[in-house]
Amino acid sequence: MARKRIREADTAEIDITPMMDIVFIMLIFFIVTTSFVKEAGIDVNKPEAAQAQKKPSATIFIAIRANGEIWMDKRTVDVERVSANIERLRAESPTDTIIVQADKEAKHGIVMEVMDQIKAADPSLVISIAGETK
């Protein structure tokens, strides 16, 4: 009588180590290349300041062009919508400082309206005016 050997069924295993290596490399790549600062979306011809001081970094930038356009989060906004956009952006990334980049040819009245809207959003916000240093 021949003995029949009963083999245990070989279990099929998938080695996921190479896949995990690729996932971690991709994760590191995306973290390194991601920018966490929200820019206003345009370049502004800023006036020069002789006694400018370094201010704390902020994540909300507001740019005002010479023609009066207001840019936030890479799109134009009306003056009346500045406070609503600030509240939305602060919900995404809390900050106490907002940087206003006004063109040196921008009308003073529009800059003041924007600053009023910032204070209407939250009176405790710090407004920093960006300028070029000599």
Side-chain angles (χ1 to χ4, degrees):
M1 228 195 248
R3 287 190 185 186
K4 288 187 179 178
R5 253 188 180 175
I6 299 175
R7 290 178 151 196
E8 289 186 28
D10 291 335
T11 57
E13 291 184 28
I14 298 174
D15 188 13
I16 64 168
T17 305
M19 183 179 70
M20 293 302 290
D21 289 341
I22 292 172
V23 169
F24 284 128
I25 290 171
M26 288 175 56
L27 179 67
I28 291 170
F29 172 79
F30 287 124
I31 289 173
V32 169
T33 59
T34 302
S35 175
F36 296 102
V37 176
K38 295 203 183 282
E39 296 289 332
I42 59 170
D43 289 328
V44 178
N45 185 14
K46 296 176 270 189
E48 292 184 2
Q51 298 183 8
Q53 297 176 353
K54 190 86 169 164
K55 297 290 182 185
S57 62
T59 56
I60 300 176
F61 291 86
I62 301 173
I64 304 171
R65 282 191 161 170
N67 62 2
E69 286 182 348
I70 301 166
W71 285 75
M72 289 180 70
D73 200 20
K74 297 181 181 163
R75 60 189 174 90
T76 60
V77 294
D78 292 330
V79 174
E80 296 84 21
R81 303 295 303 157
V82 169
S83 63
N85 282 300
I86 289 173
E87 291 172 2
R88 178 183 57 83
L89 291 171
R90 285 187 70 209
E92 292 174 5
S93 60
T95 185
D96 291 335
T97 305
I98 295 180
I99 296 180
V100 177
Q101 300 170 325
D103 192 284
K104 66 181 176 181
E105 301 295 323
K107 302 266 187 226
H108 181 72
I110 296 199
V111 176
M112 292 306 295
E113 287 180 40
V114 169
M115 293 172 75
D116 287 342
Q117 287 292 318
I118 294 170
K119 287 299 182 179
D122 187 353
S124 67
L125 287 172
V126 176
I127 302 171
S128 180
I129 306 295
E132 294 292 323
T133 57
K134 288 184 180 180

